[in-house]
Amino acid sequence: MANSAVLKSSIAKKVAMALSGLFLMLFLTQHFFINVTSLFSPDTFNSISHFMGNNPLVQFVIQPILIIGVVFHFIMGFVLDIKNRNARPKAYAKYNGAANASWASRNMIVSGSVILAFLGLHFYDFWVPEMIYKYVDVNPLDATRYFQELVHKFESPIRTALYCVSFLLLSLHLWHGFNSSFQSVGFNNKFSKAIHKFGYTFAIVVPFGFIIIALFHHFNH
């Protein structure tokens, strides 16, 4: 009975981890499509950003849920990693992980940790100034400021490089994480192959799309 309870608890943690990851992918997709507009229409980017930044539903419902989702996903990631390390047999002095799994799958905690650090930088760059602008300094609303603020952040080559490296690791994280999420929730049917292909495509297109956005604004403004 005890072993059964432990197994159910472990499965529940993996399912919760998978679902939180899929939820964060929805946010990533929405964030990507907003940022893409900055490549061809500053006015459109400003309009969407202003709407998102001043919509009560987004600010006081969706945003807190998102922050909780991020914290939950990374805490569960560390918990599961520690659990897996403790469960690994001690008898094997050497373990050739590369022979059994990809680098991405063996280093999810590494890529996840870097992504978490990047999110801290991203909050420092955009979310914190936004909160200060609206709720501390109480500035009059300026619906045209968002594009220039975005461009300003990518003036620094060091910061641009950090963003690019972070999104490269995000790509590796998603490469394994997306398909692993569906396995964790027991999704295995005739659509699995198509979903795997979609996951690999997403892991390339979205992170590298963010890299293109960063490099575009760095070299063109």
Side-chain angles (χ1 to χ4, degrees):
M1 292 293 291
N3 290 336
S4 176
V6 171
L7 178 61
K8 289 181 179 179
S9 175
S10 178
I11 294 174
K13 287 186 177 71
K14 289 181 179 179
V15 171
M17 176 74 173
L19 292 176
S20 64
L22 293 173
F23 166 73
L24 293 178
M25 285 177 64
L26 291 176
F27 161 75
L28 187 65
T29 302
Q30 170 256 327
H31 199 55
F32 172 69
F33 281 113
I34 292 175
N35 282 15
V36 162
T37 64
S38 70
L39 298 180
F40 57 84
S41 178
D43 290 339
T44 301
F45 177 77
N46 282 331
S47 296
I48 298 175
S49 299
H50 185 71
F51 170 79
M52 298 293 289
N54 295 278
N55 185 295
L57 177 63
V58 173
Q59 293 298 300
F60 302 114
V61 179
I62 298 177
Q63 188 167 262
I65 292 174
L66 172 64
I67 294 173
I68 292 171
V70 170
V71 173
F72 177 83
H73 184 75
F74 283 99
I75 288 177
M76 289 302 298
F78 286 112
V79 169
L80 289 172
D81 183 72
I82 293 171
K83 185 178 179 67
N84 290 337
R85 290 177 186 273
N86 291 337
R88 187 172 298 164
K90 307 294 184 187
Y92 297 100
K94 294 183 179 180
Y95 172 68
N96 185 14
N100 303 294
S102 66
W103 186 94
S105 64
R106 288 182 287 110
N107 294 277
M108 290 293 281
I109 196 67
V110 174
S111 59
S113 298
V114 175
I115 295 166
L116 182 61
F118 159 74
L119 286 175
L121 173 62
H122 193 67
F123 268 64
Y124 174 79
D125 274 349
F126 295 100
W127 187 78
V128 172
E130 181 73 7
M131 295 301 102
I132 293 175
Y133 181 92
K134 290 191 296 188
Y135 302 117
V136 178
D137 294 338
V138 195
N139 291 301
L141 295 180
D142 179 3
T144 65
R145 63 188 171 86
Y146 303 95
F147 180 77
Q148 290 303 321
E149 289 177 357
L150 175 70
V151 169
H152 174 69
K153 296 302 181 182
F154 292 120
E155 290 178 353
S156 167
I158 295 176
R159 184 157 298 185
T160 303
L162 288 173
Y163 268 72
C164 291
V165 171
S166 298
F167 278 113
L168 179 60
L169 287 172
L170 175 62
S171 177
L172 294 173
H173 195 80
L174 289 170
W175 185 268
H176 172 73
F178 182 85
N179 291 318
S180 178
S181 295
F182 279 93
Q183 291 177 3
S184 296
V185 298
F187 189 91
N188 186 20
N189 54 39
K190 64 181 181 180
F191 301 109
S192 297
K193 187 175 182 180
I195 288 176
H196 288 330
K197 289 182 178 179
F198 172 80
Y200 293 138
T201 302
F202 185 94
I204 294 173
V205 172
V206 173
F208 279 88
F210 276 109
I211 291 174
I212 290 172
I213 293 170
L215 293 176
F216 176 87
H217 290 305
H218 176 70
F219 288 109
N220 289 276
H221 296 94

